[in-house]
Amino acid sequence: MQGTDRRGLMLILSSPSGAGKTTLARHILKVDQHIHTSISVTTRKKRPNEIDGVHYYFTDHANFKQMIRNGEFLEYAEIFGELYGTPRKFVDQELLKGEDVLFDIDWQGNRQISAIAKEDVVSVFIFPPSKQELFNRLVKRAQDDESTIQNRMDKADDELSHWHEYDYSIINRDLVESLNKLLAILRAERLKKARRLGVTEFVQSLLTEKIDYIKVNK
């Protein structure tokens, strides 16, 4: 039926490290088959449980900078001395197919993408319940040493100060509740008239459609 196709959207999740955006991203990818993750390119070292091409595309600084010069990134940023970037080609292909792309990025990436593609962006900021809980989560996940954890806590205030740049915000007290809120946002944004392709033609067909009154009365 005309009017039912749509252009895909870019769902951006940002938060201080440890607030739960990556966990939420992983769950939303499991429950919704029409949203796909954007795999970032990074210069940081691969962690033991990570797979190149699945979690990140790992590269060195020289190659990353060449990719910048080639215009291959939709956005990129430096975080804790390492570079992270979003490949442009994959995102463009998915949006044109009517599929959505999920971004687990910081406020710098959100600002860059929103500046060039605001109409395609839906941005959500994820708050931790408290800074104490944020610290507890960083310690419990046991991925970083004490110095790195302290750096992440120091950076949290900077991340939090940019929450107002986002379309929506969720306080992540409970994973299931937060996931349901995130899914509600995604469903509503998909139905926005600006993203529905062919709606004008569909409405015109309704206005000009001839009704067979005789057939109904039989």
Side-chain angles (χ1 to χ4, degrees), residues 79-204:
I79 303 172
F80 299 120
E82 300 295 350
L83 298 168
Y84 295 79
T86 300
R88 181 187 299 272
K89 185 177 179 180
F90 170 79
V91 175
D92 289 342
Q93 289 175 340
E94 293 302 301
L95 296 186
L96 287 174
K97 290 191 297 185
E99 297 291 286
D100 303 322
V101 181
L102 178 63
F103 296 83
D104 176 352
I105 56 178
D106 73 349
W107 66 268
Q108 298 175 78
N110 174 59
R111 184 177 285 183
Q112 289 182 52
I113 293 177
S114 295
I116 62 175
K118 181 61 179 175
E119 292 183 356
D120 290 326
V121 169
V122 177
S123 58
V124 183
F125 193 90
I126 309 298
F127 289 104
S130 67
K131 290 183 74 173
Q132 181 63 56
E133 178 62 21
L134 183 67
F135 175 75
N136 293 346
R137 291 176 183 178
L138 288 172
V139 172
K140 287 178 182 177
R141 73 183 190 182
Q143 290 183 351
D144 304 305
D145 57 27
E146 290 184 10
S147 176
T148 302
I149 289 175
Q150 187 57 57
N151 285 336
R152 294 191 187 284
M153 289 301 298
D154 291 343
K155 193 173 184 292
D157 286 346
D158 180 49
E159 294 284 348
L160 290 166
S161 70
H162 292 276
W163 73 272
H164 62 280
E165 299 178 19
Y166 291 75
D167 300 315
Y168 301 91
S169 61
I170 295 173
I171 301 175
N172 187 23
R173 297 188 180 93
D174 176 79
L175 176 61
V176 174
E177 180 182 351
S178 296
L179 179 61
N180 286 335
K181 289 178 179 178
L182 193 54
L183 287 169
I185 291 169
L186 180 59
R187 290 164 184 155
E189 288 288 340
R190 284 172 171 170
L191 291 172
K192 278 192 172 180
K193 62 181 181 181
R195 294 194 174 96
R196 307 294 289 184
L197 305 177
V199 172
T200 300
E201 292 80 2
F202 177 66
V203 172
Q204 187 60 36

